[in-house]
């Protein structure tokens, strides 16, 4: 990356001194690049495009806030699009704000010396009543550059908002046959999670070291990837930690469900995503591929999910262990990708998965200690009367008992405005749990 930037700077300096020659060189380079892209296979072009671009999709179908956003995008494009390239137009806006804008199709613009495209789409709403039917307008904005930061800056300029304040992150859920559904993941700062100091330092310290060491990997010809394994009993906060990692990285988020994939499908999916992608594989111990070295061999007598679709086709059913290992090794995945694996039962995992270099960081997420309950109470009830009374009661009632993080959250929802009530309730629950397990 640094070498490319250096070359661009040299070219820019040369262009100032010899504009004519530099212009000819630029045209030749553009022509050669266009020729290669036309001749290259589509999947190669798509990989290159995914690697050097970042995309955001906004539609006015999701309420007044998004309708205002699409109007602002339309207005901004009118001032910044390369109008000589526009071939279609449309009327857009309401009342006195109606104006002629670029119509359906793709529009090219320049933002901070970077090329971008904005594709406008229109479709009829599916409202049951005629009066509510309207044309839904959407924009797919793609900006070319290696860092997603420039896309954030663009949206801040267009919408006049700070994108860091948006409370959720887009998530892509991928399962069998590349079936894709989109969802949202609530952002969560790592400082808002109660955990031991040792776990916090190991997790966020190691992750920050990875994020700031890209050039170190490059200089040594190492694959710039990172894999984290989180393990521990159910309810200890593994999913919350994953949310905090996603918030910290700001990568594209893809969750993978291995249970119903056929052999080769996981490799195809992971290979189709570019740099700056975070892959999440939760509850890995529920996937047979990690339990036996053979993976899941085809069984003609299989009667489980999707049996009607797959029976008799001779395909290997399920992701095999070797396929998963190749992905974690970076054989079939792209650069600058992070994998987060989680399991409730680390003892069930095949030892090959846990090999050093394949999993970079393996951390146990245990139940919380009584002192962590006090930290949680201080964080959630910092502005409530009764805080000190609640802390004193917990300190006097709980000494060595372990507490699942999920129990804290569930109890808090029942006592959102009552710290003392929370203290009594969580104490009773913890003691009852330990008595039942004794």
């Amino acid at each position: 990356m640094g070498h490319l930037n250096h070359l661009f700077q040299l070219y820019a300096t040369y262009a100032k001194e010899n504009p004519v020659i530099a212009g000819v060189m630029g045209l030749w380079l553009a022509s050669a690049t266009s020729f290669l892209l036309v001749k290259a296979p589509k999947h190669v072009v798509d990989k290159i495009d995914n690697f050097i671009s970042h995309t955001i999709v906004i539609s006015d179908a999701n309420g007044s806030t998004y309708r205002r956003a699409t109007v602002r995008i339309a207005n901004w494009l009118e001032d910044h699009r390369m109008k000589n390239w526009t071939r279609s137009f449309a009327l857009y806006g309401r009342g006195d704000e109606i104006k002629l804008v670029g119509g359906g199709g793709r529009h090219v613009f320049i933002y901070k010396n970077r090329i971008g495209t904005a594709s406008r789409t229109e479709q009829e709403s599916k409202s049951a009543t005629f009066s509510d039917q309207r044309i839904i307008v959407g924009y797919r904005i793609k900006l070319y550059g290696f860092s997603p930061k420039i896309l954030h800056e663009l949206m801040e300029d267009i919408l006049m908002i700070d994108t860091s304040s948006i409370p959720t992150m887009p998530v892509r859920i991928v399962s069998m046959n590349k079936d894709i559904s989109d969802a949202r993941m609530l952002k969560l700062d790592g400082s808002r999670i109660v955990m031991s100091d040792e776990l916090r330092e190991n997790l966020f310290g190691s992750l920050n070291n990875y994020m700031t060491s890209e050039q170190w990997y490059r200089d040594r010809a190492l694959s710039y990837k990172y894999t984290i394994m989180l393990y521990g009993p159910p309810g200890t906060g593994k999913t919350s930690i994953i949310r905090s990692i996603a918030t910290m990285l700001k990568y594209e988020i893809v969750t993978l469900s291995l249970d119903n994939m056929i052999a080769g499908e996981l490799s195809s999916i992971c290979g189709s995503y570019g740099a700056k992608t975070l892959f999440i594989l939760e509850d890995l111990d529920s996937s047979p591929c990690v339990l036996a070295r053979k993976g899941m061999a085809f069984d003609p007598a299989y009667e489980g999910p999707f049996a009607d679709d797959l029976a008799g086709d001779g395909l290997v059913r399920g992701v095999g262990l070797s396929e998963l290992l190749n992905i974690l090794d970076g054989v079939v995945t792209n650069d600058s990708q992070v994998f987060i694996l989680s399991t409730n039962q680390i003892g069930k995992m095949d030892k090959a998965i846990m090999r050093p270099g394949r999993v970079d960081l393996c951390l146990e997420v245990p139940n919380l200690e009584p002192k962590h309950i006090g930290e949680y109470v201080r964080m959630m009830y910092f502005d409530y009367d009764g805080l000190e009374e609640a802390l004193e009661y917990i300190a006097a009632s709980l000494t060595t008992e372990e507490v699942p993080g999920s129990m804290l959250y569930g109890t808090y929802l029942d006592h959102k405005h009552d710290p003392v009530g929370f203290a009594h309730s969580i104490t009773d629950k913890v003691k009852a749990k330990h008595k039942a397990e004794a």
Side-chain angles (χ1 to χ4, degrees):
M1 202 79 68
H3 298 308
L4 284 176
N5 290 333
H6 182 61
L7 288 175
F8 284 135
Q9 291 172 3
L10 289 177
Y11 178 78
T13 303
Y14 184 77
K16 292 180 181 179
E17 300 174 354
N18 303 277
V20 176
I21 298 177
V24 174
M25 291 173 59
L27 288 174
W28 177 84
L29 181 61
S31 299
T33 303
S34 300
F35 176 80
L36 291 174
L37 291 178
V38 169
K39 295 297 184 182
K42 184 178 183 302
H43 71 276
V44 174
V45 176
D46 289 342
K47 278 194 175 184
I48 296 174
D49 187 75
N50 289 336
F51 182 73
I52 63 174
S53 68
H54 301 276
T55 304
I56 186 170
V57 179
I58 294 180
S59 168
D60 69 0
N62 300 318
S64 58
T65 300
Y66 289 88
R67 282 196 287 273
R68 288 193 295 270
T70 53
V71 170
R72 287 179 176 175
I73 291 173
N75 292 337
W76 186 90
L77 282 173
E78 284 312 293
D79 297 330
H80 295 83
R81 64 183 170 86
M82 301 175 71
K83 299 182 180 180
N84 290 337
W85 291 19
T86 300
R87 295 295 180 266
S88 63
F89 301 88
L91 291 174
Y92 190 59
R94 293 185 177 183
D96 297 335
E97 295 184 9
I98 292 180
K99 62 188 299 184
L100 187 68
V101 300
R106 184 175 300 174
H107 304 276
V108 181
F109 62 88
I110 303 294
Y111 177 75
K112 293 186 177 180
N113 298 321
R114 289 173 172 82
I115 297 176
T117 63
S119 300
R120 176 187 167 100
T121 60
E122 297 181 358
Q123 64 181 31
E124 292 185 3
S125 66
K126 293 183 170 59
S127 175
T129 60
F130 179 79
S131 60
D132 291 336
Q133 290 180 352
R134 64 183 182 86
I135 300 298
I136 297 174
V137 176
Y139 284 94
R140 183 182 183 88
I141 297 178
K142 176 180 290 188
L143 194 61
Y144 287 88
F146 291 105
S147 172
K149 181 180 179 182
I150 190 67
L151 182 60
H152 292 189
E153 294 174 359
L154 171 62
M155 298 313 298
E156 289 171 6
D157 285 349
I158 295 178
L159 305 179
M160 294 176 285
I161 61 171
D162 180 2
T163 55
S164 63
S165 66
I166 298 175
T168 60
M169 304 168 284
V171 182
R172 180 152 290 182
I173 303 171
V174 185
S175 57
M176 185 183 183
N177 296 326
K178 298 185 181 179
D179 180 38
I180 296 174
S181 59
D182 293 316
R184 306 289 299 184
M185 177 183 289
L186 189 65
K187 291 181 180 178
L188 180 60
D189 190 280
S191 63
R192 302 290 297 175
I193 303 177
V194 176
M195 64 178 77
S196 69
D197 293 338
E198 181 182 3
L199 176 58
R200 188 184 305 279
E201 182 178 348
N202 286 340
L203 175 63
F204 296 109
S206 299
L207 194 58
N208 184 68
N209 181 60
Y210 163 76
M211 295 172 63
T212 57
S213 302
E214 180 175 355
Q215 193 58 49
W216 183 89
Y217 283 82
R218 305 295 183 208
D219 293 342
R220 291 157 179 79
L222 299 174
S223 178
Y224 184 54
K225 56 173 285 293
Y226 205 67
T227 300
I228 301 171
M229 169 68 80
L230 303 176
Y231 69 94
T236 56
K238 294 185 291 296
T239 299
S240 294
I241 290 176
I242 290 173
R243 283 171 49 202
S244 69
I245 294 173
T247 303
M248 181 178 179
L249 285 175
K250 298 183 177 67
Y251 281 11
E252 180 176 8
I253 306 168
V254 180
T255 67
L256 300 170
S257 176
L258 304 184
D259 292 349
N260 298 312
M261 289 184 184
I262 62 174
E265 194 166 15
L266 182 62
S267 300
S268 176
I269 291 169
C270 292
S272 67
Y273 284 89
K276 308 293 184 182
T277 303
L278 170 63
F279 292 104
I280 301 172
L281 294 89
E282 289 196 88
D283 300 322
L284 201 59
D285 51 279
S286 65
S287 301
C289 69
V290 307
L291 308 180
R293 195 165 292 274
K294 293 181 180 179
M296 294 178 68
F298 175 72
D299 178 9
Y302 176 77
E303 296 179 353
F306 304 98
D308 292 339
D309 297 331
L310 297 180
D313 56 12
L315 292 175
V316 174
R317 192 181 310 284
V319 176
L321 178 62
S322 60
E323 182 179 356
L324 179 60
L325 297 182
N326 283 336
I327 289 170
L328 297 181
D329 286 339
V331 175
V332 293
T333 52
N334 292 304
D335 213 19
S336 303
Q337 294 182 338
V338 173
F339 288 82
I340 302 180
L341 318 176
S342 75
T343 175
N344 295 331
Q345 303 181 66
I346 191 69
K348 284 189 174 183
M349 305 292 288
D350 192 293
K351 292 182 179 179
I353 295 177
M354 308 306 299
R355 191 193 72 189
R358 184 167 283 150
V359 171
D360 301 284
L361 183 65
C362 185
L363 294 174
E364 180 182 8
V365 184
N367 287 319
L368 300 174
E369 300 175 10
K371 65 178 182 180
H372 298 133
I373 304 179
E375 294 176 12
Y376 186 82
V377 170
R378 289 186 183 278
M379 181 172 63
M380 305 305 288
Y381 295 105
F382 63 93
D383 55 349
Y384 278 85
D385 293 334
L387 171 60
E388 293 303 323
E389 181 182 348
L391 291 172
E392 290 175 3
Y393 183 83
I394 291 171
S397 304
L398 300 176
T399 54
T400 60
E401 298 89 343
E402 294 183 347
V403 186
S406 58
M407 184 180 290
L408 287 182
Y409 179 69
T411 307
Y412 173 73
L413 293 180
D414 294 333
H415 303 276
K416 293 189 289 290
H417 308 292
D418 182 8
V420 176
F422 171 88
H424 284 266
S425 180
I426 192 67
T427 298
D428 292 343
K429 289 181 180 179
V430 171
K431 287 184 176 297
K433 177 178 181 296
H434 282 266
K435 183 178 180 180
E437 293 175 349

